[in-house]
């Protein structure tokens, strides 16, 4: 399946957002994720099914001012 993750195209055998994050080695409860501009909460990642050409954004909070 072709996915765009943080602006870069990837070919991944992932059915869910949780699987895609694991394949790309994104780990941690601190991640914020969005698929096609819609926020996907941490608890919903395993149930959020991906489609070919989905756009995924993975963000991490920054500390400081």
């Amino acid at each position: 399946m072709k996915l765009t993750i943080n602006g870069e195209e990837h070919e991944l055998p992932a059915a869910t957002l949780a699987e895609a994050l694991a394949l790309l080695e994104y780990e941690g409860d601190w991640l914020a994720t969005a698929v096609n501009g819609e926020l996907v909460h941490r608890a919903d990642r395993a149930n959020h099914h991906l489609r070919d050409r989905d756009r995924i954004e993975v963000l991490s909070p920054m500390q400081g001012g």
Side-chain angles (χ1 to χ4, degrees):
M1 171 176 329
K2 289 185 182 182
L3 302 169
T4 301
I5 302 169
N6 291 348
E8 294 182 18
E9 289 196 17
H10 294 268
E11 184 79 34
L12 295 176
T16 66
L17 179 56
E19 289 175 5
L21 294 174
L23 288 169
L24 293 168
E25 299 181 359
Y26 282 109
E27 296 179 11
D29 291 337
W30 46 267
L31 293 174
T33 55
V35 177
N36 300 323
E38 298 284 328
L39 181 66
V40 178
H41 294 281
R42 178 178 53 226
D44 297 329
R45 292 178 190 158
N47 296 321
H48 188 95
H49 291 274
L50 298 173
R51 295 183 312 238
D52 196 40
R53 307 246 181 237
D54 274 349
R55 293 175 295 110
I56 300 169
E57 296 294 328
V58 181
L59 307 167
S60 63
M62 291 179 56
Q63 287 186 281

